[in-house]
Amino acid sequence: MNISLEKIRECLLEEQLLKEFTTTEGWSLSVPASLDHKLFDALSYDSRTVSSSTLFFCKGLNFKEDYLKKAVDAGLEVYIAEQPYDVAASLGIIVTDIKKAMAVLSMAFYDYPQNKMKLIGFTGTKGKTTAAYFTKFILDHATNKKTAMLSTMNSTLDGQTFFKSHLTTPESLDLYRMMAEAVDNQMTHFIMEVSSQAYKTNRVYGLFFDVGIFLNITPDHISPIEHPTFDDYFYCKRQLISHAKTMILNRDSDHFQLLKETAELHQTPYIVYGNQQLETDYVYQTTPDDSLAFSVTAKEDKLGIADEYHLRLGGDFNKGNALSAVIAASLVGADHLSCQLGIQEATVPGRMELLTHTNGAKVYVDYAHNYDSLKNLLTFVKEEHPDGRLLVVIGSTGNKAISRRKDFGTVLSELADIAILTTDDPADEEPALICKEIADYITAPIQVETITDRAEAIAAALSLSSAQDAVVLAGKGADLYQKVHGEDTPYEGDYAIADRLIKENGADVFNPKK
């Protein structure tokens, strides 16, 4: 992989991003003659990983000129930034928007890998990971496991080996590097979750999807460092609609009419699914005698997918996610049998995983981490266990999505019998203070405990449970890290902790440190 200065100039001019080239000789809009044949064989935004043939991006709110000076001392010759810096570099490429420039140049450097695969993008407040997994299971059948995926919980570039991604949607430089690796691995399809931040910070600037799926929208990620308002959050989410060749829209989503109007404004063809007949192309209905089955009907079944499907994951909300995946996979070539088999076999790490305590209580592990997903989860579990109590272990993230703390207090007030508040990626905040904020929003007279050690909180919930009860471990899912002060601190995982405690201690008093 390499890119020339002339190609860089061409790409930036095409997107109207280039301000000027700056050297010790002055400013220009032409490539300096002395660097006319300069080739870059690496891109980086980490000043610790540079050489003379690296194009270095000066990006980020925390970027300091000192980082650039150290990179130049290490041999860096050319940087790209939104302003000139007084450093001894051979060339500064000055642009109007560094994040857009990084996206444009990254796709060019990696030879536009997005055009060599079918690209599927999911957005929504909840359900993105589950729907992405459903789609991958379907396409694994249809393509003989030639499907890559970028997901909040797990990602794969060869269809089979998985790794943890730090961001729901990676920085553009990393995104195109991963896409190029998937192409090298002979992947034919690429599924990814597209976050609101990806559009707000231009990580996916200029990227178009073969199929985009808008699952739902409810307030989330509202904070000073993410989205200042719901309007800003929703607007960023809607950008997927104008960057997809075909959209799939959920008729049951809040603000559906605006989603539909957005698709029509941008002349993006769309397919509507949901559990009601009005304005819906594909309708799903629960099979009365089987809570894990649903049927799909259509006014005009152009995709040939109207039939009955069986799930391994409980909850009516997963049926809508499954149908969105069936439609998406069908649009990129999956056959009907692959759709049925994929849906029937799909499992999602940290989603609706179930354990049985020795005393008979059921233990659910789920990634539910915002208002709607938590409410749907607790509603489902409560309906499944009408004769017992609902015990919920939950925390809230630090430094972001501050509004969730009130949301969790509201849901716990409505549905929980016992709430055990604990740690969940506290970042730079004190877990106890986050728990107190949640507790302050609990208005119902339920039992509330604060145990900041998450393993001890899980142990306490198991100890307090009895035969008819259900214990819900919410928020972390299959995540094996806690984000603390900027570091990914290893964490055993909710399911592993609960499984270990049940096996080690039986129905006795639990000791998570045993």
Side-chain angles (χ1 to χ4, degrees):
M1 301 288 182
N2 60 58
I3 190 170
S4 68
L5 268 175
E6 189 53 49
K7 178 64 175 178
I8 290 170
R9 178 180 180 274
E10 175 189 319
C11 291
L12 295 176
L13 284 174
E14 184 177 350
E15 294 292 328
Q16 299 183 340
L17 292 169
L18 181 64
K19 290 170 70 176
E20 68 263 346
F21 291 114
T22 178
T23 68
T24 54
E25 303 299 319
W27 293 356
S28 174
L29 287 173
S30 300
V31 175
S34 61
L35 295 169
D36 189 40
H37 299 293
K38 177 75 174 175
L39 286 176
F40 301 93
D41 60 16
L43 307 180
S44 179
Y45 54 83
D46 184 343
S47 60
R48 298 165 296 181
T49 59
V50 298
S51 70
S52 61
S53 58
T54 300
L55 176 62
F56 178 66
F57 293 88
C58 304
K59 70 96 185 168
L61 294 175
N62 298 317
F63 180 79
K64 298 176 182 178
E65 186 173 345
D66 186 53
Y67 299 156
L68 180 56
K69 288 180 178 178
K70 289 180 179 177
V72 171
D73 290 342
L76 181 76
E77 294 182 0
V78 180
Y79 70 90
I80 181 167
E82 291 180 358
Q83 66 181 56
Y85 288 99
D86 185 17
V87 295
S90 300
L91 179 68
I93 305 171
I94 312 306
V95 295
T96 57
D97 189 310
I98 188 65
K99 296 298 287 288
K100 289 181 179 180
M102 189 164 73
V104 168
L105 296 180
S106 294
M107 65 173 75
F109 179 83
Y110 288 106
D111 194 24
Y112 304 95
Q114 71 271 30
N115 298 334
K116 301 171 186 178
M117 301 177 287
K118 292 292 185 182
L119 199 59
I120 302 166
F122 284 91
T123 200
T125 303
K126 60 181 188 208
K128 295 187 296 296
T129 298
T130 302
Y133 264 86
F134 279 137
T135 309
K136 186 181 186 306
F137 270 83
I138 293 171
L139 290 174
D140 277 350
H141 276 284
T143 68
N144 193 25
K145 295 191 175 179
K146 293 187 179 298
T147 305
M149 179 178 69
L150 293 185
S151 157
T152 304
M153 294 306 301
N154 272 317
S155 297
T156 178
L157 302 178
D158 63 5
Q160 300 181 62
T161 57
F162 291 82
F163 61 92
K164 168 73 175 175
S165 181
H166 292 289
L167 296 170
T168 298
T169 309
E171 293 285 0
S172 57
L173 192 157
D174 301 315
L175 173 61
Y176 290 105
R177 174 181 53 78
M178 291 176 183
M179 283 187 179
E181 186 175 335
V183 170
D184 289 342
N185 290 332
Q186 299 183 319
M187 297 294 100
T188 58
H189 293 71
F190 195 96
I191 303 164
M192 59 183 287
E193 299 177 34
V194 189
S195 66
S196 57
Q197 283 291 300
Y199 280 109
K200 188 171 181 66
T201 61
N202 290 308
R203 293 178 206 154
V204 288
Y205 176 78
L207 180 61
F208 284 82
F209 296 83
D210 291 284
V211 180
I213 303 92
F214 201 109
L215 296 170
N216 45 64
I217 187 72
T218 53
D220 195 20
H221 293 287
I222 313 301
S223 74
I225 63 171
E226 292 178 286
H227 298 281
T229 62
F230 174 67
D231 174 71
D232 182 67
Y233 172 63
F234 190 18
Y235 175 75
C236 289
K237 286 281 191 190
R238 294 202 306 276
Q239 297 310 296
L240 177 63
I241 299 175
S242 60
H243 290 86
K245 298 174 184 176
T246 302
M247 277 301 301
I248 299 169
L249 304 177
N250 181 4
R251 180 64 182 84
D252 306 319
S253 173
D254 289 350
H255 309 290
F256 167 75
Q257 202 60 36
L258 183 55
L259 298 178
K260 179 183 172 184
E261 289 177 13
T262 303
E264 291 169 349
L265 175 67
H266 293 284
Q267 298 183 325
T268 304
Y270 61 90
I271 295 172
V272 180
Y273 74 96
N275 63 5
Q276 53 183 298
Q277 299 286 342
L278 185 65
E279 295 185 278
T280 308
D281 298 303
Y282 285 94
V283 179
Y284 69 92
Q285 294 177 321
T286 299
T287 303
D289 56 349
D290 187 349
S291 64
L292 293 178
F294 67 98
S295 60
V296 175
T297 57
K299 297 173 184 175
E300 187 178 358
D301 187 17
K302 294 180 180 180
L303 297 175
I305 59 173
D307 206 338
E308 186 163 296
Y309 295 83
H310 295 266
L311 292 164
R312 291 180 65 177
L313 297 178
D316 284 348
F317 49 91
N318 278 324
K319 293 166 186 174
N321 293 331
L323 177 53
S324 75
V326 168
I327 298 170
S330 298
L331 286 170
V332 294
D335 59 277
H336 177 51
L337 180 59
S338 293
C339 291
Q340 287 190 311
L341 291 174
I343 293 301
Q344 186 172 327
E345 296 171 5
T347 57
V348 185
R351 295 295 199 278
M352 296 299 287
E353 293 185 294
L354 182 62
L355 287 162
T356 301
H357 187 3
T358 51
N359 64 11
K362 298 297 183 183
V363 182
Y364 293 85
V365 180
D366 193 90
Y367 186 62
H369 63 289
N370 55 42
Y371 176 84
D372 258 24
S373 59
L374 183 65
K375 184 169 184 177
N376 285 337
L377 171 64
L378 298 191
T379 299
F380 167 76
V381 173
K382 205 167 183 70
E383 289 173 353
E384 291 289 303
H385 303 274
D387 299 324
R389 299 171 301 165
L390 182 56
L391 296 81
V392 184
V393 176
I394 193 168
S396 191
T397 54
N399 293 11
K400 67 176 186 177
I402 308 301
S403 60
R404 289 179 185 170
R405 300 169 195 184
K406 179 180 179 181
D407 293 341
F408 292 164
T410 301
V411 177
L412 293 169
S413 298
E414 293 174 359
L415 295 165
D417 294 294
I418 298 176
I420 300 178
L421 308 180
T422 190
T423 300
D424 184 343
D425 293 336
D428 296 317
E429 295 191 59
E430 283 298 324
L433 294 179
I434 296 175
C435 292
K436 183 179 184 306
E437 285 190 49
I438 298 172
D440 287 344
Y441 289 112
I442 296 177
T443 56
I446 64 172
Q447 182 178 342
V448 179
E449 305 285 347
T450 295
I451 304 174
T452 55
D453 183 296
R454 195 170 176 100
E456 292 181 8
I458 293 170
L462 294 173
S463 292
L464 290 168
S465 69
S466 55
Q468 302 298 317
D469 296 341
V471 177
V472 172
L473 312 180
K476 291 298 289 179
D479 195 354
L480 298 179
Y481 297 90
Q482 289 273 13
K483 294 184 183 299
V484 183
H485 299 302
E487 299 290 332
D488 281 344
T489 304
Y491 172 66
E492 189 178 353
D494 285 358
Y495 185 95
I497 290 170
D499 188 41
R500 172 175 59 80
L501 290 170
I502 289 170
K503 288 176 179 176
E504 289 181 358
N505 299 280
D508 299 332
V509 175
F510 287 89
N511 177 8
K513 297 179 180 178
K514 181 176 176 180

